[in-house]
Amino acid sequence: MWPKKRIILIKKHAETSEKFGKSPEKRTVEELINYGIINVDKPEGPTSHQVSAHVQKILGIKKSGHSGTLDPKVTGVLPVALGKGTRIVQSLLTAGKEYVCLMQVHADVEEKKLRSIINKFIGVIDQLPPVRSAVKRQQRKRTIYYIDIIEIAGREVLFRIGCQAGTYIRKLCSDIGKDLGTGAHMAELRRTRAGPFDEFTLCTMQELTDAYYYYKDKNDDKELRKLVMPVEEGAKHLQRVWVMDSTVDTICHGAFLNIPGIAKLDDGIGPGDKVAVLTLKDELVSVGIAQMYSEEVMRKDKGLFIKSEQVFMEPGTYNKS
């Protein structure tokens, strides 16, 4: 579900020139505000869109985007991408999610039976989205990676769940209740993870407001730097490939990535995988779809490896030669 420890394979040794590009950690605060991402702790009440719009207002920018809708009553992890970085949310929308849920069972149930029924929902399940949902209402398969029961107190069940994007936890609770024969509903829900973002990097709207005030009025960017992360953080859950300086500009102009331009890559990449293409300074160049396995790349001297879907870096950032 989440990025596993990856081994980096060296295709060819290459160095990067300091004349071109800039490591993400060296970007100015102004650059981060226009090409970054914030992990907002969404409060209960506003919609995800309203939270994203409020972030725009606080930072004085014209564009932002969030990485997956949370219902107004749901709280927690809501990555909001800023300015030119908003397209990274497309990669986050399909990333795995984690929630902590409080489920209310409608009648007394023996704990052994309750645990047994809940465990039946781990793995691939069929789920019909609720009547009020953002997707077409038809049966579809979703993967539940784990359900860890934290506490059972009478008819209340508190559990942590890791699941495929697009899983409706409210509907899952209803389906569990149906299998129990008692009925059940979701009482409270908090998202604790979305792709590479978890609760350790959360920031409240008030913290963001205060940090921006100190940056603008007191010329102190220390707190704002902690909250506004480089857009590359939004691609950390993807497999990665690093390209040589001389290859970067061709990709920026729309070319696909062929094997000769590769310096190093993660092991375990396979055809169809979404991959982040990075410079040797770890800047995000593009996101695309792999056409072969990592092992093939290491073995071959030519061939198409990545078909670009989104290009993030501006043409001319790196010299063509």
Side-chain angles (χ1 to χ4, degrees):
M1 178 186 176
W2 315 122
K4 298 177 182 177
K5 190 172 182 180
R6 295 173 285 200
I7 298 171
I8 297 175
L9 308 173
I10 306 298
K11 177 65 176 174
K12 63 180 74 169
H13 291 279
E15 294 183 355
T16 181
S17 171
E18 293 304 317
K19 294 179 181 179
F20 312 111
K22 183 189 290 185
S23 297
E25 62 269 17
K26 292 182 180 179
R27 289 178 191 146
T28 66
V29 169
E30 204 60 40
E31 287 171 329
L32 290 172
I33 288 173
N34 287 287
Y35 189 55
I37 193 163
I38 300 172
N39 188 14
V40 176
D41 189 350
K42 181 194 169 297
E44 184 177 341
T47 65
S48 297
H49 179 73
Q50 287 171 331
V51 170
S52 178
H54 194 47
V55 168
Q56 275 181 239
K57 189 176 179 181
I58 292 170
L59 299 177
I61 57 176
K62 295 181 179 179
K63 194 175 180 183
S64 66
H66 62 81
S67 68
T69 302
L70 290 176
D71 289 345
K73 288 186 177 181
V74 180
T75 66
V77 173
L78 183 71
V80 176
L82 313 173
K84 294 186 298 179
T86 52
R87 286 173 299 159
I88 197 64
V89 299
Q90 294 302 316
S91 295
L92 286 167
L93 288 173
T94 57
K97 308 293 191 292
E98 182 187 80
Y99 301 88
V100 170
C101 175
L102 179 63
M103 179 177 70
Q104 183 85 43
V105 181
H106 297 167
D108 294 334
V109 180
E110 184 186 26
E111 184 173 321
K112 184 178 179 182
K113 179 183 178 181
L114 182 57
R115 289 180 179 273
S116 176
I117 293 294
I118 289 174
N119 285 335
K120 280 173 56 180
F121 284 82
I122 299 173
V124 179
I125 64 168
D126 290 311
Q127 189 177 70
L128 181 66
V131 176
R132 294 179 64 183
S133 62
V135 297
K136 186 177 179 181
R137 196 162 187 259
Q138 60 184 24
Q139 198 88 345
R140 55 186 189 166
K141 294 190 181 296
R142 282 296 176 267
T143 302
I144 308 299
Y145 304 114
Y146 55 84
I147 303 177
D148 298 330
I149 297 174
I150 300 169
E151 186 179 356
I152 298 175
R155 297 180 182 180
E156 292 186 333
V157 184
L158 184 67
F159 62 87
R160 187 182 302 275
I161 177 171
C163 55
Q164 183 181 356
T167 304
Y168 286 89
I169 308 302
R170 188 183 304 277
K171 185 64 168 61
L172 181 77
C173 290
S174 175
D175 290 343
I176 290 172
K178 188 176 179 181
D179 275 20
L180 286 169
T182 62
H185 70 273
M186 184 187 84
E188 291 182 43
L189 188 68
R190 178 172 177 80
R191 187 155 71 187
T192 53
R193 188 156 192 166
F197 296 98
D198 57 27
E199 293 188 294
F200 290 102
T201 55
L202 278 176
C203 120
T204 65
M205 304 298 279
Q206 187 59 55
E207 286 171 335
L208 182 62
T209 302
D210 292 346
Y212 190 72
Y213 165 77
Y214 277 102
Y215 166 62
K216 274 296 184 184
D217 288 36
K218 304 294 184 182
N219 200 28
D220 182 355
D221 66 2
K222 186 173 68 174
E223 292 304 316
L224 195 57
R225 277 191 173 278
K226 292 178 185 177
L227 306 183
V228 185
M229 297 172 275
V231 75
E232 283 79 6
E233 293 293 318
K236 276 199 168 179
H237 61 298
L238 302 178
Q239 297 275 49
R240 304 160 300 174
V241 56
W242 290 262
V243 297
M244 295 183 293
D245 285 6
S246 56
T247 304
V248 174
D249 200 60
T250 60
I251 298 173
C252 293
H253 280 90
F256 292 162
L257 175 60
N258 293 298
I259 290 175
I262 296 169
K264 54 185 180 178
L265 69 159
D266 282 333
D267 70 327
I269 298 174
D273 286 350
K274 187 169 278 194
V275 180
V277 178
L278 307 171
T279 70
L280 292 171
K281 298 183 186 73
D282 290 327
E283 304 154 282
L284 182 62
V285 181
S286 67
V287 171
I289 303 300
Q291 304 300 305
M292 64 175 75
Y293 292 97
S294 298
E295 293 73 17
E296 291 180 82
V297 174
M298 294 301 291
R299 196 172 64 244
K300 295 179 178 179
D301 294 323
K302 57 184 179 180
L304 172 61
F305 184 40
I306 304 290
K307 283 188 175 181
S308 299
E309 284 195 329
Q310 293 176 301
V311 176
F312 288 83
M313 185 170 281
E314 292 289 331
T317 306
Y318 276 70
N319 191 301
K320 293 178 182 179
S321 60

